[in-house]
Structure formats: structure tokens, C-alpha cells
């Protein structure tokens, strides 16, 4: 695979910091541009981040003295340095939409961690192991934007990464209804305990917009391309509750599911064990060798013990059992800033590079 020069837009935020760590030694991607808001522009990365470095691993030395560009005013300079960009900015949704489309119209593909374009009909929202075929919509998006190379592709909400990968391969049995309760880490809000002491010894039963995303986004992932757009599926039916819990990293989901054709427990376990997607077939750099990992212990998976499995890119599952009102229930865990955010975006970029979309 050839090398690609890449930029991180929103490099000073928590997800941007995670991108920096993931990309410092990436075999395919070489970071040649860092960008953030006007407040950070002109400073070195180390100066711009200041005391807000939130990772447990130190800032990569290779980026510390790199100048930070203005994500909006310096677009021409940024796109001249890169083959594509990762975007994880903290702006209003309409501003993010405009910014990402501007990069795309400058013939610079955008791999976005943001939610702004998740329901744009010709923007693929991809979990690489599940709906890699949705990348085919990029051709229609380019026609709309009037571009040759430029396009936008997004990853889904971080909490979906814990339970949708467990449900999707079971759809051969007809997933009908799903109830999910997510228990989400504070890093999902871009926080640490030092910056959010109110979360210590506390649970908040509301995360703005999260339940709507948890119920709607899976249907786009389940959807099909028709007439130049992705048409969301009508089923399964999802209902969700999302809680913020005092955990640094890792989202847990308690899942209840009913099938049209109820499988046996053994069939479910075998399906999870055998499931793999394009990232595994293509042996992409960040792809977990075993995507779905089932634990037989009654008290597993645990967030702290399993979130870092396969460099934080695997999904951990446990406690599969029959339910009195649904067919089955089980628990899932994934790392929200790795599989759920920056890692998922890097894996998506690897997939698109491998399939020729960045050429």
C-alpha cells in the first residue's frame, strides 16, 4: 500500500489527540497538517493543547512542535499538504456541515468523526466490518458536489459500536425488536475526571441527542443504496436509554433482542465467533483479528478489563441468556474513543484506501 499524507482537523480536542496517537506510527498514513480553531492557529501543537492533553500516553514528540493551522481560514494550505483529512471538530452542526463540504469541494476527502452528515442521504456512515458496501454511494455524492476526488464519509455514533456489531450478524435470524441501555464513559463527552468532578460517584440518566442517535443510526447502517441515496431500513425496531457513568473510557450496552426466527444459543455463539468483515479479509493495519469476543464468565465483560482488547478495536460480549419478555439478552463493551471514535475513523480510512477511493 502506498503512503498517504493526512491532516487532523480538530487536532487539539480529545478525539483529535487520540488521532495523533493512532497516526504517529501508522504504516500507511503520514500526518502533514494539524488544524484547529482560530484560537490555536499559529501556535505549536504543544502550546495549543497546553494543559488539556487528556491521553494517558504522552503527546507524540513528532507532533509537539508542528504548527497548528486555522481549520477554516487555512483550507487552501491544508489541502495542498494532504491526500485526505480526519475531522473531529467542536462546532455547531450547520458549521460542521459547511466546513466538511468545503474540504470535499477542494477535492480533499473527509473522514469524519462528527455527527453532522450522518443523515445526509449520499454520505456513507460505515462500520467497516458491517456495511463496507455503502462506500459505493460516494460516486453519487461526488456527482452532487461536482468533485473528482472530494467526498465525505462518516463513522457512526460511538455507543453504537458496542452493540450494533453484535446484532448485525444475527440478522440472518431476522432481528425484529431491540431494547438497549448504554452506560457511557465520560470521555464520550470529551471530559476527564479532573475536568468533570461532578461525575465522580455519580450517574446522569441523560445524554443530549444520544437516544435518538441510538434508535435511528442503526437503521441507516441496515439500509440499502437506491437511486443515489442510502435509504434507511424499516426494521429492526430500536428503543434506547443512554446513561453517563463514572468511567474514564469504554461504553457498555445491555441488549434485549427478539427475532423473527429465534436461533439457539449455540447458533448465536457460533455466528459471533465466525463473523468477520472486509477489514479482516484485507488485513487492514488497525483491524482486530477477532472482531467479536465472547466471554463465558458470569461477571464479564467488564469495561476496565476488556475495553483495550485488540488495541481497543474489538467488541466484547457476555452474559447471553434467554429472557422472559424478549428472546435473548446480553451485554457488550467497546472502547468509545478507539473503536467508537478515532480508531473507527482510521479503520474506515484504511478500508477506503484499500478499495481505491483515495486514489
Amino acid at each position: 500500500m502506498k503512503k498517504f499524507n493526512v491532516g487532523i482537523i480538530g487536532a487539539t480536542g480529545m478525539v483529535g489527540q487520540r488521532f495523533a496517537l493512532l497516526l504517529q506510527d501508522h504504516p500507511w498514513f503520514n500526518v502533514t497538517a494539524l488544524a484547529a480553531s482560530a484560537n490555536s492557529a499559529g501556535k505549536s501543537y504543544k502550546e495549543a493543547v497546553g494543559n488539556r492533553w487528556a491521553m494517558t500516553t504522552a503527546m507524540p514528540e513528532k507532533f509537539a512542535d508542528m504548527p497548528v493551522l486555522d481549520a477554516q481560514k487555512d483550507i487552501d494550505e491544508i489541502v495542498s499538504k494532504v491526500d485526505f483529512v480526519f475531522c473531529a471538530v467542536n462546532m455547531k452542526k450547520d458549521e460542521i456541515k459547511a466546513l466538511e463540504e468545503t474540504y470535499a469541494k477542494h477535492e480533499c476527502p473527509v473522514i469524519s468523526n462528527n455527527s453532522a452528515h450522518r443523515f445526509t442521504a449520499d454520505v456513507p456512515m460505515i462500520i467497516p466490518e458491517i456495511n463496507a458496501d455503502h462506500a459505493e454511494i460516494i460516486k453519487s455524492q461526488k456527482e452532487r458536489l461536482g468533485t473528482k476526488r472530494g467526498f465525505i464519509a462518516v463513522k457512526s455514533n460511538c455507543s453504537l459500536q458496542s452493540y450494533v456489531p453484535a446484532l448485525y450478524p444475527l440478522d440472518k435470524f431476522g432481528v425484529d425488536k431491540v431494547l438497549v441501555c448504554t452506560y457511557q464513559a465520560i470521555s464520550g463527552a470529551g471530559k476527564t475526571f479532573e475536568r468533570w468532578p461532578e461525575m465522580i460517584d455519580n450517574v446522569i440518566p441523560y445524554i443530549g441527542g444520544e437516544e435518538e442517535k441510538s434508535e435511528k443510526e442503526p437503521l441507516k447502517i441496515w439500509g440499502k443504496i437506491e437511486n443515489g441515496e442510502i435509504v434507511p431500513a424499516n426494521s429492526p425496531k430500536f428503543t434506547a436509554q443512554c446513561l453517563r457513568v463514572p468511567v474514564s473510557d469504554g461504553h457498555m450496552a445491555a441488549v434485549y433482542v427478539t427475532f423473527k426466527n429465534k436461533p439457539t444459543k449455540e447458533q448465536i455463539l457460533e455466528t459471533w465467533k465466525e463473523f468477520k468483515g472486509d477489514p479482516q479479509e484485507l488485513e487492514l493495519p488497525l483491524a482486530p483479528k477477532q472482531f467479536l469476543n465472547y466471554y463465558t464468565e458470569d461477571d464479564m465483560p467488564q469495561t476496565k478489563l476488556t475495553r483495550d482488547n485488540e488495541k481497543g478495536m474489538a467488541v466484547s460480549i457476555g452474559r447471553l441468556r434467554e429472557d422472559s419478555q424478549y428472546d435473548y439478552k446480553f451485554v457488550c463493551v467497546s472502547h468509545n474513543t478507539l473503536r467508537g471514535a478515532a480508531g473507527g475513523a482510521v479503520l474506515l480510512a484504511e478500508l477506503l484506501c484499500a478499495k481505491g477511493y483515495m486514489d
Side-chain angles (χ1 to χ4, degrees), residues 126-293:
I126 295 175
I127 298 176
E129 285 87 353
I130 292 176
N131 60 329
D133 61 309
H134 281 194
E136 295 169 13
I137 199 68
I138 289 171
K139 180 181 178 182
S140 297
Q141 185 192 148
K142 287 179 179 177
E143 291 174 357
R144 173 176 65 85
L145 296 174
T147 59
K148 294 180 180 179
R149 284 192 75 246
F151 64 87
I152 302 161
V154 302
K155 51 156 290 298
S156 69
N157 180 263
C158 54
S159 65
L160 268 67
Q161 311 283 334
S162 60
Y163 61 90
V164 167
L167 289 166
Y168 193 87
L170 302 179
D171 202 41
K172 62 184 180 181
F173 306 113
V175 177
D176 187 26
K177 294 180 181 179
V178 178
L179 183 153
V180 60
C181 297
T182 61
Y183 305 88
Q184 302 184 205
I186 63 172
S187 57
K191 303 285 189 179
T192 62
F193 286 117
E194 290 76 17
R195 287 154 52 185
W196 200 2
E198 296 84 1
M199 271 308 304
I200 297 174
D201 194 31
N202 195 21
V203 172
I204 298 176
Y206 174 73
I207 306 172
E210 201 76 3
E211 289 164 0
E212 293 85 351
K213 295 173 188 175
S214 299
E215 293 172 355
K216 288 180 61 181
E217 289 187 20
L219 298 179
K220 183 171 182 178
I221 293 168
W222 250 272
K224 298 190 181 302
I225 296 175
E226 295 179 7
N227 301 316
E229 61 181 40
I230 298 170
V231 180
N234 293 318
S235 64
K237 302 296 184 185
F238 284 84
T239 185
Q241 285 206 105
C242 302
L243 291 75
R244 187 74 70 193
V245 296
V247 170
S248 58
D249 292 300
H251 289 351
M252 179 176 282
V255 184
Y256 301 77
V257 57
T258 295
F259 297 92
K260 294 174 183 174
N261 301 294
K262 183 180 177 181
T264 65
K265 181 177 179 179
E266 290 71 27
Q267 286 176 309
I268 293 175
L269 293 175
E270 184 66 17
T271 298
W272 284 337
K273 181 180 178 181
E274 297 299 323
F275 182 71
K276 57 186 176 181
D278 285 16
Q280 287 72 38
E281 298 286 354
L282 295 167
E283 297 183 345
L284 300 178
L286 214 58
K289 287 183 172 58
Q290 182 63 42
F291 182 32
L292 306 178
N293 298 265

